[in-house]
Amino acid sequence: QVQLSESGGGLVQPGGSLRLSCAASGSIFSINVMGWYRQAPGKERELVATITSGGRTNYADSVKGRFTISGSVGVPTMYLEMNSLKVEDTAVYYCYVHRENYDYWGQGTQVSVSS
């Protein structure tokens, strides 16, 4: 069992930066994949970035070069560094963990980008 809790969201102007954190507790070892998803009102939840237990990262095309995911197996906190934020980045951001055939999700943190 893994419990996840996101923090770091807020209101920021276009071009600004935010750093999201996801605190994990419980069985945080043997995690295969960690990552971030986001969901805007009226839209489907979409992948933002993932990192595997081997440290390999994957990013959605829309955030490549602007967002950076970091974290590792056994470390209780995962991060998403967001730079050059755009209005279209506005969404609720969720962290997730895949461990031993189970998916775990946080409650989400709101990121609002507005001028």
Side-chain angles (χ1 to χ4, degrees), residues 1-113:
Q1 184 72 23
V2 178
Q3 293 81 43
L4 304 173
S5 180
E6 306 94 335
S7 62
L11 176 64
V12 65
Q13 294 183 350
S17 300
L18 282 174
R19 188 189 192 194
L20 305 184
S21 299
C22 178
S25 61
S27 301
I28 62 174
F29 293 98
S30 299
I31 291 173
N32 302 120
V33 181
M34 304 179 291
W36 293 89
Y37 282 74
R38 67 186 182 187
Q39 186 169 21
K43 296 184 178 180
E44 295 183 351
R45 183 172 57 186
E46 64 177 355
L47 171 72
V48 177
T50 58
I51 184 168
T52 70
S53 59
R56 296 184 177 89
T57 57
N58 180 58
Y59 297 91
D61 288 340
S62 60
V63 306
K64 285 182 179 178
R66 300 189 297 119
F67 291 10
T68 302
I69 186 172
S70 62
S72 62
V73 174
V75 178
T77 306
M78 175 177 60
Y79 302 96
L80 183 68
E81 190 78 37
M82 305 185 294
N83 300 307
S84 301
L85 282 162
K86 304 175 180 179
V87 172
E88 52 263 43
D89 293 319
T90 296
V92 176
Y93 284 70
Y94 300 89
C95 67
Y96 90 95
V97 161
H98 182 75
R99 178 183 181 273
E100 297 182 347
N101 282 329
Y102 292 94
D103 292 323
Y104 302 91
W105 298 91
Q107 292 285 87
T109 185
Q110 177 71 51
V111 172
S112 298
V113 185

